[in-house]
Amino acid sequence: LKTRLVYAGEYMSTSCVEEGRKTSNDPYQRIASELLAQADIHINGSEPYDIQVHNKDFYKRVLQQGSLGLGESYMDGWWDCERLDIFFHKVLRAGLENKLPSNWRDILKIAMARIFNLQTQKRAWMVGKEHYDLGNDLFTAMLDPYMQYSCGYWKDADSLEVAQQHKLDLICRKLELKPGMTLLDIGCGWGGLAAYAAKNYGVSVTGVTISVEQQKLAQERCKGLDVNIILEDYRDLNEQFDRIVSVGMFEHVGPKNYATYFDVARRNIKEDGLFLLHTIGSNHNKVNVDSWISKYIFPNGCLPSIQKTAEAMENKFVMEDWHNFGADYDKTLMAWYERFLASWPEIESNYTPRFKRMFSYYLNACAGAFRARDIQLWQIMLSPKGRIGGLRTPR
């Protein structure tokens, strides 16, 4: 690898002038400078999206370890950036992630994901324990009053709370909820959607989660409402519902389980029912998520593509509508980041400074990815046999 990097550095440039100064003879630094320059980002530059490097081993670590090395070196304090969101937006728009050397660990993970089912019923509980159980204090402080840990709908909104309320109401209107209906919420989170639908649309809701902490808080928030929050894997569901909704959960299902997921939804929905799937989506077919995100944020996750999603739902559902408002996730994530920073003095005793850097990196990296349109947010409306006369889906 070192030979390849030295050769690449000599091929790309034997010297790189940055703001009138010659860079180090370190080939790793030269290559990093050349790559970042393609995104108009400079090392130790004056723009808020330029990176400030504090450890000379940063360049080698990133070029050898890719995304994982970039994220971990930030957590370790090896570099800083005033506006991480802009940094990632520029990096992704320039396609720099496709120009880094392949890392053997990433290759091994991809091979394992192709061979093994990383989202089995036993492994599925990992994300609940490692992420959603981080602490209700963190999520209560960061999220809106509805505790929505998914993209808000900013079409006519000027605040996070309004955007999330509009998202909840959009979902309920798309599902055409009416009093007396039964609604299954697969991956119900802290019960925000379940409570909203029960209170405002008079439906009976069954919410399913794999997070113990989510279940506890959701049950408290839904007291007095016709809502039942159960701790269960979605594959064990076997009951008929008028409507099904799943928000921000499909990303944890995994390609080897997509067909099973839609089989479960099909057997749990009535023949004249409607199913709304709200999920982050990828522009490309993948078998795993970014290596840093997988290790520190969402273990075993995978962003679905249009092709893989469509193949899995074929012969099970009719696709009535496919709505993309992924650009709204950028605003949502930046609002979360603002609230996270504002609330840090109140919650920092429960966490470490390294955790703060990790979580800040996560929120800003994702915001930059959505801003760059590298990833999307879809709401897909499905019916078992097709709505007679069609479905007029609100926007």
Side-chain angles (χ1 to χ4, degrees):
L1 175 61
K2 184 175 181 180
T3 301
R4 286 166 49 207
L5 290 174
V6 171
Y7 174 79
E10 291 173 348
Y11 174 78
M12 293 170 70
S13 172
T14 56
S15 65
C16 175
V17 178
E18 183 178 22
E19 298 181 13
R21 296 185 301 273
K22 190 174 181 180
T23 64
S24 164
N25 289 326
D26 179 1
Y28 295 99
Q29 183 174 349
R30 290 205 307 271
I31 295 172
S33 298
E34 291 278 3
L35 285 172
L36 289 172
Q38 295 178 41
D40 191 32
I41 295 171
H42 302 284
I43 297 170
N44 300 328
S46 59
E47 296 294 339
Y49 48 78
D50 289 332
I51 63 171
Q52 311 302 315
V53 177
H54 312 306
N55 188 314
K56 63 182 178 60
D57 293 327
F58 161 78
Y59 313 103
K60 181 177 180 180
R61 185 175 183 181
V62 173
L63 288 172
Q64 288 188 342
Q65 299 178 9
S67 170
L68 187 62
L70 183 67
E72 288 186 335
S73 62
Y74 182 83
M75 292 166 62
D76 292 339
W78 285 23
W79 63 282
D80 280 296
C81 179
E82 182 182 344
R83 289 295 302 271
L84 278 170
D85 58 315
I86 303 178
F87 167 81
F88 280 104
H89 170 228
K90 294 174 75 67
V91 163
L92 291 169
R93 286 300 282 186
L96 298 193
E97 76 280 9
N98 299 317
K99 299 176 183 179
L100 286 171
S102 297
N103 177 262
W104 69 269
R105 291 185 182 88
D106 291 338
I107 295 172
L108 180 60
K109 287 180 181 178
I110 292 172
M112 288 181 63
R114 292 187 187 281
I115 298 170
F116 302 107
N117 184 356
L118 301 182
Q119 296 85 10
T120 61
Q121 285 190 266
K122 183 178 180 179
R123 292 177 62 89
W125 295 83
M126 289 175 61
V127 70
K129 182 178 180 181
E130 295 185 22
H131 187 77
Y132 295 107
D133 288 348
L134 277 174
N136 285 335
D137 60 337
L138 166 67
F139 292 111
T140 300
M142 185 182 78
L143 304 179
D144 65 291
Y146 298 100
M147 292 287 286
Q148 290 298 290
Y149 197 26
S150 58
C151 184
Y153 192 51
W154 292 82
K155 179 183 176 183
D156 298 309
D158 57 5
S159 70
L160 178 64
E161 180 177 352
V162 173
Q164 294 294 11
Q165 182 180 349
H166 286 185
K167 186 268 297 293
L168 293 174
D169 204 61
L170 179 68
I171 289 173
C172 293
R173 288 187 290 124
K174 283 185 175 184
L175 287 169
E176 299 180 352
L177 296 181
K178 294 178 175 59
M181 283 185 173
T182 55
L183 172 66
L184 171 63
D185 186 354
I186 303 177
C188 65
W190 293 276
L193 173 57
Y196 187 90
K199 183 177 180 180
N200 295 282
Y201 285 84
V203 296
S204 175
V205 187
T206 297
V208 180
T209 179
I210 56 171
S211 166
V212 174
E213 294 300 316
Q214 282 188 337
Q215 183 195 33
K216 289 178 183 177
L217 187 54
Q219 287 173 334
E220 293 175 11
R221 292 167 57 86
C222 294
K223 278 183 180 178
L225 298 173
D226 191 2
V227 175
N228 182 29
I229 306 294
I230 59 177
L231 193 66
E232 186 172 274
D233 186 277
Y234 71 95
R235 283 163 280 209
D236 295 327
L237 292 165
N238 193 11
E239 185 179 346
Q240 290 279 287
F241 295 88
D242 296 302
R243 301 288 190 265
I244 297 178
V245 65
S246 185
V247 179
M249 180 269 180
F250 194 54
E251 300 91 326
H252 304 300
V253 169
K256 291 188 176 297
N257 302 302
Y258 289 165
T260 299
Y261 177 87
F262 285 107
D263 284 337
V264 170
R266 185 64 181 85
R267 81 164 178 254
N268 282 276
I269 196 169
K270 294 180 180 178
E271 290 297 296
D272 59 349
L274 291 174
F275 172 27
L276 186 150
L277 176 61
H278 174 120
T279 181
I280 298 172
S282 172
N283 295 333
H284 313 284
N285 287 329
K286 296 180 179 179
V287 293
N288 65 340
V289 294
D290 171 87
S291 57
W292 184 87
I293 290 286
S294 180
K295 181 175 180 178
Y296 290 97
I297 308 299
F298 298 116
N300 306 320
C302 180
L303 300 184
S305 68
I306 291 176
Q307 179 184 344
K308 294 297 184 183
T309 305
E311 287 176 348
M313 70 173 67
E314 189 173 342
N315 299 321
K316 301 179 182 74
F317 289 97
V318 173
M319 193 278 288
E320 302 279 4
D321 185 67
W322 200 302
H323 184 187
N324 184 356
F325 53 97
D328 285 14
Y329 226 142
D330 175 16
K331 293 183 178 181
T332 304
L333 283 152
M334 293 309 294
W336 288 345
Y337 179 56
E338 182 179 344
R339 291 172 64 88
F340 172 68
L341 290 182
S343 64
W344 182 251
E346 302 171 13
I347 66 174
E348 65 176 324
S349 60
N350 297 327
Y351 302 92
T352 65
R354 193 169 192 265
F355 175 88
K356 182 185 179 183
R357 291 183 69 88
M358 179 196 78
F359 218 76
S360 297
Y361 184 91
Y362 149 59
L363 294 173
N364 281 276
C366 290
F370 280 104
R371 192 178 309 163
R373 303 309 308 278
D374 187 62
I375 46 180
Q376 313 303 325
L377 189 284
W378 302 322
Q379 280 191 353
I380 309 169
M381 287 300 302
L382 305 169
S383 65
K385 293 186 176 181
R387 170 67 67 85
I388 299 299
L391 188 69
R392 301 293 180 258
T393 308
R395 289 289 189 267

